[in-house]
Amino acid sequence: MTRRNTPLTEPQYFILAALMDGPLHGYGIIKAAEQATGGRLRIAVGTLYGALERMERAGLVAPGDEEIVDGRARRYYRLTEDGAEALGREALRMQQAAAVVMGRSRDAGAAPA
């Protein structure tokens, strides 16, 4: 994922998308991704923190503030400029890929010329 044009996985995409509106802690990211997908994508805690660690090393997210809640540290993550660019590239890539299928779907019922 450290290469510039490597596609994001679906969890990575929705983790980054969740951070578009500002920093979130882990549970907030999980809930935002679940809500954005209508409940279809449920990111497990282990998957989330593994992905956040890899994305932090790649410069796509950065740790933000930390607070103590019920005696436990709660770390917030924020989207970096590189993360926003990667998210935009991935959204464009998916849009272009979908256009190929959507264009064919419209033509599927048409009689050959």
Side-chain angles (χ1 to χ4, degrees), residues 10-92:
E10 187 175 33
Q12 290 168 338
Y13 180 83
F14 283 104
I15 289 167
L16 294 177
L19 297 174
M20 288 178 69
D21 293 328
L24 287 172
H25 53 78
Y27 183 73
I29 294 169
I30 289 171
K31 295 316 273 178
E34 190 174 324
Q35 184 177 13
T37 62
R40 184 183 54 76
L41 178 66
R42 296 178 185 209
I43 302 172
V45 172
T47 300
L48 173 70
Y49 287 105
L52 284 170
E53 185 178 309
R54 287 186 298 280
M55 289 190 292
E56 187 177 343
R57 283 195 311 263
L60 304 178
V61 300
D65 293 334
E66 199 170 287
E67 66 181 349
I68 304 299
V69 177
D70 295 329
R72 298 178 63 189
R74 177 182 285 174
R75 175 180 282 177
Y76 287 77
Y77 293 86
R78 65 178 177 76
L79 187 63
T80 64
E81 189 174 314
D82 286 347
E85 288 175 10
L87 184 59
R89 278 192 311 274
E90 185 66 10
L92 180 60

